[in-house]
Amino acid sequence: MSTSPRQRRKEARPQELLAAALTLFVEKGFAATRTEEVAALAGVSKGTLYLYYPSKDELFKAVVRENLSSRIAEAAVLAAQHQGSVADLLCHVMGEWWRQVGLGSAGGISKIMMAEARNFPELARFYVDEVVLPTHQLLGSLITRGIQSGEFRPVPVADTVHVLVGPMLHMILYQHSLGACKLHGPTIDPPAVLAVQMDLMLRGLLSPSSKAKDQ
């Protein structure tokens, strides 16, 4: 039995609302975005929006889950299934994160949290639980895995994760702040920066035996 256009439209509404919310949150910030604006951009009434997401907080949480939490979960599955070089896996995970998040609007969510977390502590806690901790756990597990296999030399795992995350977060924040103003500041070529970062990181992470194999 075929689905009616009206039914298909109803099934698509959550995604349409999340897309509209992401656009406005990134453009205006969390505090300045009104739910009626989201509804209008999605082409529905405010009442319809509340049928799916009963508050702006819940709408924002859904945006985070859709655009960030799901990506982290996918990367964790990929990591669990990977056989072979942890260095290659780490490079792939970092590159995919930039491709899926950094290149699009989803990266702007990080900028929102950095700017507004202090005024919305409940959302900040949610973001830490949904995004920050899972990201650190994933990257930390890869570093630990490389150390245990002998591919990486022993390093402080938690500190190394911060070193991995820092440049990525910097590029995302720059892109959604000064970069969005089209100023004549330092130019950033994210793929090139990421390549240099991973080259420097791996030269520091690889154990002497792993380096010898590459020569």
Side-chain angles (χ1 to χ4, degrees), residues 75-96:
V77 171
L78 173 68
Q81 297 173 342
H82 179 81
Q83 301 291 325
S85 167
V86 181
D88 290 345
L89 174 60
L90 185 59
C91 288
H92 179 76
V93 168
M94 295 291 287
E96 282 298 290

Side-chain angles (χ1 to χ4, degrees), residues 102-149:
L103 284 177
S105 298
I109 299 172
S110 297
K111 184 254 186 180
I112 293 170
M113 294 313 304
M114 295 300 102
E116 303 189 53
R118 188 170 183 174
N119 295 325
F120 301 96
E122 195 275 331
L123 285 183
R125 181 72 262 170
F126 166 82
Y127 185 80
V128 168
D129 290 341
E130 284 282 325
V131 178
V132 177
L133 290 178
T135 297
H136 279 244
Q137 289 165 0
L138 172 60
L139 294 177
S141 71
L142 298 185
I143 300 300
T144 300
R145 185 167 156 185
I147 294 172
Q148 292 175 343
S149 70

Side-chain angles (χ1 to χ4, degrees), residues 35-124:
T35 52
E36 52 264 39
E37 294 176 307
V38 175
L41 184 59
V44 301
S45 69
K46 186 176 178 180
T48 298
L49 184 152
Y50 284 136
L51 288 175
Y52 296 95
Y53 308 106
S55 68
K56 188 166 75 168
D57 282 16
E58 291 303 314
L59 179 62
F60 183 79
K61 290 177 180 180
V63 168
V64 170
R65 291 189 182 105
E66 173 72 14
N67 292 278
L68 299 181
S69 305
S70 63
R71 305 296 188 195
I72 300 168
E74 290 170 2
V77 171
L78 173 68
Q81 297 173 342
H82 179 81
Q83 301 291 325
S85 167
V86 181
D88 290 345
L89 174 60
L90 185 59
C91 288
H92 179 76
V93 168
M94 295 291 287
E96 282 298 290
W97 182 257
W98 180 259
R99 186 182 68 80
Q100 296 180 11
V101 176
L103 284 177
S105 298
I109 299 172
S110 297
K111 184 254 186 180
I112 293 170
M113 294 313 304
M114 295 300 102
E116 303 189 53
R118 188 170 183 174
N119 295 325
F120 301 96
E122 195 275 331
L123 285 183

Side-chain angles (χ1 to χ4, degrees), residues 4-44:
S4 69
R6 183 174 181 178
Q7 181 64 28
R8 287 196 297 270
R9 170 78 171 120
K10 183 177 180 180
E11 292 172 352
R13 275 186 189 139
Q15 292 300 119
E16 293 169 352
L17 287 166
L18 292 180
L22 175 62
T23 297
L24 289 170
F25 283 144
V26 171
E27 179 183 321
K28 304 181 67 172
F30 177 78
T33 297
R34 296 179 298 153
T35 52
E36 52 264 39
E37 294 176 307
V38 175
L41 184 59
V44 301

Side-chain angles (χ1 to χ4, degrees), residues 98 102 104 107-108 110-112 114 166-190 193:
W98 180 259
S110 297
K111 184 254 186 180
I112 293 170
M114 295 300 102
M168 186 79 76
L169 184 58
H170 163 70
M171 290 192 294
I172 287 174
L173 294 179
Y174 188 92
Q175 179 172 280
H176 289 278
S177 55
L178 297 177
C181 298
K182 308 299 182 183
L183 301 175
H184 296 294
T187 59
I188 296 180
D189 180 354
V193 172

